Amino acid sequence: MSVSLKSRWASGEVTLGAWCMIPEALSAEALARNGFDWVLVDMQHGCMDYETALAMIRAIDLTPAIPIVRVPWNDPGIIGRVLDAGALGVVIPMIQTAEDARRAVEACLYPPAGRRSFGPVRVGMRDGPRYFAEANGRVAVIPMIETAEALASVEEIASVPGVDALFVGPFDLSVALGLPPGDNDGQPAFDEAIARVSAAARNAGVATAVLSNARIAPLRISQGFQMISVTTDIAALTAATRADLDAVRIKK
């Protein structure tokens, strides 16, 4: 059984991951076999439904990478289903308040820490009868900080028992700050937001996480982020095929 992300963050490790937008188990497995610490299945903005997400989690399970899912919304029904499918971390979008974060924790954890319903059909086959006793200690609860409301409440959100990391969504957060979507490092409002999230997480003893890329990731590491995506399947496929095509065209 793999060491949980929570344990790795607690020991100070930086974990690097890949992001799946394409609804395909084979591409998820291909990414996961490249040595990433975790691979995320994006059910919010990605193109997959639940059945495909299940197949992608199973494909990631063939590798050492840890399967993570970003759910479409803070809904206990879909959160419970992706956990039952085998996700070992859940990224929850559009968290606005500490109460939103509490609801996310309740959906992710079994009683007495939460209200998750017991029925781990698929993950029970993977992990066996020990799953119930170990799940709360292994599943990472990761609310997103990506709105002005969330930023205003970030200290309270970080302090909610059961929250394991704060995930900065740089695109939506930038839009909320009146900036174009993207990494806006060097813009005071963006830099201040990153610093505030990092400080809130550090003071609460939780990790920070972020959607990133190979160019920005070293900066995020220096800022103390411990869960950093360095590529997406679409970006990697586009860059590699474009580079191959350009290389051949140059030699014609």
Side-chain angles (χ1 to χ4, degrees):
M1 183 179 296
S2 61
V3 178
S4 72
L5 287 178
K6 296 163 65 161
S7 297
R8 296 177 70 174
W9 296 335
S11 67
E13 285 190 54
V14 174
T15 60
L16 304 177
W19 204 273
C20 294
M21 313 294 287
I22 298 171
E24 174 53 55
L26 186 59
S27 59
E29 182 182 350
L31 282 176
R33 289 193 183 279
N34 282 334
F36 293 104
D37 299 306
W38 52 270
V39 172
L40 182 143
V41 178
D42 189 350
M43 295 184 72
Q44 184 191 19
H45 292 303
C47 301
M48 62 286 297
D49 57 16
Y50 176 75
E51 287 75 16
T52 305
L54 168 61
M56 294 171 76
I57 292 169
R58 294 178 69 191
I60 296 165
D61 278 341
L62 298 173
T63 79
I66 294 172
I68 307 294
V69 174
R70 177 162 73 170
V71 292
W73 200 252
N74 189 14
D75 176 81
I78 188 60
I79 290 173
R81 293 198 80 192
V82 301
L83 290 171
D84 288 348
L88 288 174
V90 184
V91 175
I92 308 102
M94 291 296 171
I95 295 296
Q96 310 281 15
T97 66
E99 182 55 35
D100 288 344
R102 276 189 283 272
R103 287 197 296 269
V105 169
E106 288 180 347
C108 289
L109 302 183
Y110 288 125
R115 297 184 178 182
R116 179 184 171 191
S117 175
F118 180 77
V121 175
R122 189 269 151 176
V123 74
M125 290 191 292
R126 185 189 73 190
D127 292 349
R130 67 183 185 275
Y131 176 76
F132 173 75
E134 298 178 357
N136 285 2
R138 296 178 66 206
V139 169
V141 183
I142 312 166
M144 294 193 73
I145 307 298
E146 52 185 342
T147 67
E149 292 84 355
L151 188 60
S153 301
V154 68
E155 291 82 10
E156 291 80 11
I157 292 170
S159 298
V160 170
V163 166
D164 297 300
L166 302 179
F167 200 111
V168 174
F171 288 78
D172 277 315
L173 183 58
S174 290
V175 171
L177 296 171
L179 300 168
D183 293 301
N184 283 284
D185 299 277
Q187 292 288 339
F190 186 83
D191 292 345
E192 290 167 10
I194 292 289
R196 182 170 179 179
V197 175
S198 297
R202 185 170 57 253
N203 291 337
V206 302
T208 44
V210 68
L211 175 68
S212 190
N213 56 57
R215 180 177 62 86
I216 298 294
L219 172 62
R220 299 290 178 246
I221 293 172
S222 72
Q223 292 169 329
F225 285 83
Q226 291 181 272
M227 180 186 187
I228 305 169
S229 68
V230 299
T231 192
T232 70
D233 49 10
I234 290 179
L237 179 63
T238 300
T241 53
R242 184 176 293 155
D244 287 347
L245 180 58
D246 289 346
V248 174
R249 279 176 169 164
I250 290 170
K251 294 176 182 177
K252 284 173 58 178

